[in-house]
Amino acid sequence: MGNSKSGALSKEILEELQLNTKFTEEELSSWYQSFLKECPSGRITRQEFQTIYSKFFPEADPKAYAQHVFRSFDANSDGTLDFKEYVIALHMTSAGKTNQKLEWAFSLYDVDGNGTISKNEVLEIVTAIFKMISPEDTKRLPEDENTPEKRAEKIWGFFGKKDDDKLTEKEFIEGTLANKEILRLIQFEPQKVKEKLKEKKP
């Protein structure tokens, strides 16, 4: 990065982010200034990421979900995100293309990073998602998906897997593309994330 502390975003990173996300130069530049205010080192730790994420969802408990999101975007596993990783995280969780989103969703659900997803991993992420849903919204959920266990069971059932089976990335992406119900069940209501992003820029 070289100039991460100079207060200006390098042209290369700016161009790469504009190419890979839908954010404008103005948005990216102002976010970068805010990012440096919050994280003068130019890197954001897991704890700081959780704090920022909590601002998006003041009425929920997004800590567990934020940890998983952080893990899935910490590309080099160094325990921090630089500005580029951070913006891509925001983009992918709110406005990415379906295939990109599903690749990211796979890495989110692949908790141990071994290249496949187990039913327990699905339950772990779904449990984190439920902590983000208000009790009021939980009450409105259909009977067969109103607890993390029921929702995980439903997702696993859609993939036609036995309890101790594993899901590959290919199966995960193809199955989800073929069934809109899976897409709805595996994600935290993206519309809400989009609304929050519009309300509160980081």
Side-chain angles (χ1 to χ4, degrees), residues 142-189:
E143 178 63 32
D144 65 344
E145 58 183 73
N146 61 4
T147 69
E149 292 74 17
K150 285 181 188 173
R151 185 176 276 210
E153 194 67 53
K154 196 170 177 178
I155 292 167
W156 208 241
F158 275 132
F159 283 111
K161 293 284 185 182
K162 296 191 186 79
D163 279 6
D164 55 356
D165 281 348
K166 298 275 191 282
L167 256 183
T168 65
E169 184 175 17
K170 186 169 183 285
E171 288 173 324
F172 178 81
I173 292 175
E174 285 176 0
T176 309
L177 285 173
N179 190 331
K180 291 277 193 294
E181 276 294 279
I182 297 177
L183 189 58
R184 181 180 66 78
L185 290 166
I186 63 167
Q187 56 191 353
F188 171 66
E189 301 148 82

Side-chain angles (χ1 to χ4, degrees), residues 44-56:
I44 187 168
T45 64
R46 185 186 298 263
Q47 196 57 50
E48 288 164 333
F49 185 77
Q50 280 179 18
T51 304
I52 290 171
Y53 220 86
S54 296
K55 288 177 189 168
F56 286 124

Side-chain angles (χ1 to χ4, degrees), residues 46-47 49-70 108 125 127-133 188 193 196:
R46 185 186 298 263
Q47 196 57 50
F49 185 77
Q50 280 179 18
T51 304
I52 290 171
Y53 220 86
S54 296
K55 288 177 189 168
F56 286 124
F57 304 100
E59 69 287 347
D61 176 15
K63 283 194 192 70
Y65 190 69
Q67 273 184 12
H68 288 298
V69 172
F70 184 92
L108 181 72
I125 301 297
T127 302
I129 288 173
F130 262 74
K131 288 181 181 165
M132 310 256 293
I133 303 174
F188 171 66
V193 179
K196 298 284 179 190

Side-chain angles (χ1 to χ4, degrees), residues 25-35 83 201-202:
E25 185 173 340
E26 289 72 27
E27 281 177 319
L28 290 165
S29 297
S30 80
W31 285 4
Y32 188 61
Q33 296 309 317
S34 313
F35 184 81
F83 182 69
K201 297 294 185 198

